[in-house]
Amino acid sequence: MNKFKLASYIIAFFSGVILIFLIDFDQPTNLNPIEKINNLSSQINSNKTASTIPANWTSIKPSSSMRDKEYIIRNSMGEFNLIVFKNIGGSTEQNINRWVDQFSGDENPLLPFQKKEIEQNDKNFIFVQNSGYFNGGMGQTEAFDNAGLIAFIVEDKSNIYYYKAVSSVEILMESKEELISTILSSNL
């Protein structure tokens, strides 16, 4: 039984990788990150992808009682944590502002500040990215330079989920499209 489960995960992972390459291959290369998100969003809406977590993601016990879920995401550049909060305090804008204010200095041109709202599947998705010097923050107190943020706020009929990943820009960029497509397809 475990062989079939592992095989299913491997097939799902490689299918996702192939889909990302096909999406990238089919798209104009001069798209900015927001246009890429719009294109991924429309692809996901039309394909109704299966609900799976990528094979390179490991669900771990949240390191704080404030966290709903936590994942370690590994790629060839390293690893980072995706932290998921549910129905935390403060408004959506207050949380976005707090996340953005955790960065200072020059942003990395690979991951400039962006904010975009997407509505699909009866949910409102707010995508946020930022980069620069990470000043530290809740659960990630160590400050470092060339840091990046990829985050989503997902509002459905009864809950608000907050997805936040902070790591070096290079590590985040390798997993950015996979992270976006997994969250937009509501796999978590």
Side-chain angles (χ1 to χ4, degrees), residues 56-68:
N56 60 319
W57 294 31
T58 304
S59 178
I60 62 173
K61 181 180 179 188
S63 60
S64 165
S65 61
M66 289 184 61
R67 298 175 182 183
D68 185 55

Side-chain angles (χ1 to χ4, degrees), residues 1-39:
M1 177 105 169
N2 284 337
K3 290 180 185 179
F4 293 113
K5 189 174 183 182
L6 179 60
S8 297
Y9 287 137
I10 291 171
I11 290 169
F13 171 75
F14 284 113
S15 297
V17 170
I18 291 169
L19 178 62
I20 288 171
F21 283 116
L22 290 174
I23 290 170
D24 273 351
F25 183 73
D26 192 38
Q27 304 301 322
T29 56
N30 60 347
L31 293 179
N32 70 38
I34 293 299
E35 290 170 326
K36 281 189 172 188
I37 291 171
N38 288 338
N39 288 334

Side-chain angles (χ1 to χ4, degrees), residues 19-136:
L19 178 62
I20 288 171
F21 283 116
L22 290 174
I23 290 170
D24 273 351
F25 183 73
D26 192 38
Q27 304 301 322
T29 56
N30 60 347
L31 293 179
N32 70 38
I34 293 299
E35 290 170 326
K36 281 189 172 188
I37 291 171
N38 288 338
N39 288 334
L40 279 171
S41 176
S42 64
Q43 283 283 340
I44 289 166
N45 274 338
S46 65
N47 291 338
K48 299 289 184 191
T49 43
S51 181
T52 59
I53 295 172
N56 60 319
W57 294 31
T58 304
S59 178
I60 62 173
K61 181 180 179 188
S63 60
S64 165
S65 61
M66 289 184 61
R67 298 175 182 183
D68 185 55
K69 297 177 186 173
E70 192 167 345
Y71 299 90
I72 295 176
I73 300 173
R74 293 177 177 85
N75 62 41
S76 69
M77 298 297 290
E79 65 182 43
F80 62 94
N81 286 29
L82 174 64
I83 301 165
V84 184
F85 303 94
K86 180 179 175 184
N87 300 328
I88 58 176
S91 70
T92 296
E93 280 304 312
Q94 288 171 328
N95 281 288
I96 290 171
N97 290 336
R98 183 172 44 81
W99 292 347
V100 170
D101 288 345
Q102 291 174 338
F103 290 82
S104 61
D106 295 331
E107 66 183 25
N108 186 310
L110 294 173
L111 202 64
F113 173 76
Q114 301 226 348
K115 179 181 165 191
K116 170 75 177 170
E117 283 196 53
I118 303 161
E119 289 193 36
Q120 68 180 29
N121 302 331
D122 296 322
K123 294 180 182 178
N124 185 45
F125 295 82
I126 302 170
F127 169 79
V128 179
Q129 71 177 28
N130 199 20
S131 62
Y133 183 83
F134 181 67
N135 301 308

